[in-house]
């Protein structure tokens, strides 16, 4: 049985009286949506031949620091962009658009912003790297479980009791409340339809 701890000094996976604690944070989960973690630029732009690949870039090493002490939860994300051009040449800047989106309950987009990051290829070099940043703000009240739901999830259960064998998350109302208060901050390249199709079908 998994119990979501309301606070205190319990740690994730710690065995406590009545079950195993799993500390739930109001901070968003972070990730890179499938198909948006890399981008390929072609020259000419309309070609999809391997010989026309100009620049490829990968968004990686996504990390987050989060402040959940105030009424607005602030998540600050950083990520690396690793880029490679097909041919060495003079110094060159390549600007790539990226997005950060906040998703509630796994399906509902509550906010989205588009930014840009520029990688600079040094003279004669085919590889370049830079770091990008993004922020997400989430209403703390929306990310907080209702008191009655927390009580259901954290109540102690004794072995042998009928309630001990029942997962609170099997209750649709409890599951829906947990899902509604769960947020994700997702970062990826802002791709065109053609670029996304290329990533998915290559």
């Amino acid at each position: 049985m998994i119990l979501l701890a309301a606070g205190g000094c319990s740690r994730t996976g710690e065995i406590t009286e009545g079950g195993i604690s799993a500390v739930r944070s109001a901070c968003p989960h972070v990730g890179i949506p499938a198909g948006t973690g890399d981008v390929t630029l072609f020259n000419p732009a309309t070609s999809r031949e391997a010989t026309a690949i100009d620049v490829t870039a990968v968004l990686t090493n996504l990390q987050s620091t989060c402040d959940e002490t105030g009424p607005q939860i602030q998540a600050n994300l950083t990520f690396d962009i690793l880029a490679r051009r097909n041919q060495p040449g003079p110094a060159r800047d390549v600007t790539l658009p990226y997005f950060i989106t906040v998703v509630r309950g796994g399906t509902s987009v509550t906010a989205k912003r588009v930014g840009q990051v520029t990688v600079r290829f040094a003279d004669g070099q085919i590889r370049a790297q830079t770091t990008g940043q993004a922020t997400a703000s989430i209403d703390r009240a929306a990310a907080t479980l209702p008191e009655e739901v927390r009580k259901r999830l954290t109540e102690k259960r004794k072995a042998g009791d009928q309630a001990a064998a029942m997962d609170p998350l099997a209750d649709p109302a409890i599951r829906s409340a947990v899902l509604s208060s769960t947020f994700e901050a997702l970062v990826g390249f802002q791709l065109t339809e053609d670029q996304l199709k290329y990533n998915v079908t290559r």
Side-chain angles (χ1 to χ4, degrees), residues 19 32 40 51 64 80 111 119-120 123 158 165 171 178:
I32 302 170
T40 303
T51 54
S64 173
D80 292 335
V119 291
R120 180 171 181 79
D123 185 23
K158 294 182 180 179
D171 183 335
V178 172

Side-chain angles (χ1 to χ4, degrees), residues 102-202:
V102 176
V103 179
R104 183 177 189 178
T107 58
S108 177
V109 175
T110 62
K112 180 180 179 181
R113 289 193 301 274
V114 176
Q116 293 184 332
V117 63
T118 298
V119 291
R120 180 171 181 79
F121 292 97
D123 185 23
Q125 299 299 309
I126 63 171
R127 298 184 185 276
Q129 178 176 348
T130 192
T131 299
Q133 298 182 4
T135 61
S137 180
I138 298 169
D139 182 33
R140 183 176 180 81
T144 302
L145 286 172
E147 182 62 28
E148 62 272 17
V149 174
R150 290 202 301 272
K151 287 181 179 179
R152 283 283 306 279
L153 292 169
T154 60
E155 65 183 353
K156 293 182 179 179
R157 298 169 178 82
K158 294 182 180 179
D161 288 352
Q162 183 177 2
M166 298 177 62
D167 181 359
L169 291 174
D171 183 335
I174 299 297
R175 187 169 61 251
S176 176
V178 172
L179 195 60
S180 179
S181 63
T182 300
F183 289 80
E184 297 171 288
L186 305 177
V187 177
F189 286 113
Q190 180 67 24
L191 304 174
T192 65
E193 280 191 34
D194 285 344
Q195 288 171 334
L196 182 58
K197 182 179 179 181
Y198 176 80
N199 282 357
V200 172
T201 59
R202 64 183 174 174

Side-chain angles (χ1 to χ4, degrees), residues 37-118:
D38 59 278
V39 63
T40 303
L41 306 182
F42 291 88
N43 186 18
T46 55
S47 175
R48 290 298 176 267
E49 298 295 329
T51 54
I53 292 176
D54 181 24
V55 174
T56 58
V58 176
L59 192 155
T60 187
N61 195 28
L62 178 63
Q63 300 185 38
S64 173
T65 58
C66 182
D67 181 0
E68 54 180 317
T69 58
Q72 291 292 315
I73 298 168
Q74 297 289 334
N76 299 305
L77 289 73
T78 60
F79 52 89
D80 292 335
I81 301 292
L82 308 179
R84 185 184 188 279
R85 59 178 172 176
N86 195 40
Q87 296 291 336
R92 176 186 175 192
D93 290 344
V94 176
T95 299
L96 303 168
Y98 68 90
F99 69 86
I100 176 170
T101 185
V102 176
V103 179
R104 183 177 189 178
T107 58
S108 177
V109 175
T110 62
K112 180 180 179 181
R113 289 193 301 274
V114 176
Q116 293 184 332
V117 63
T118 298

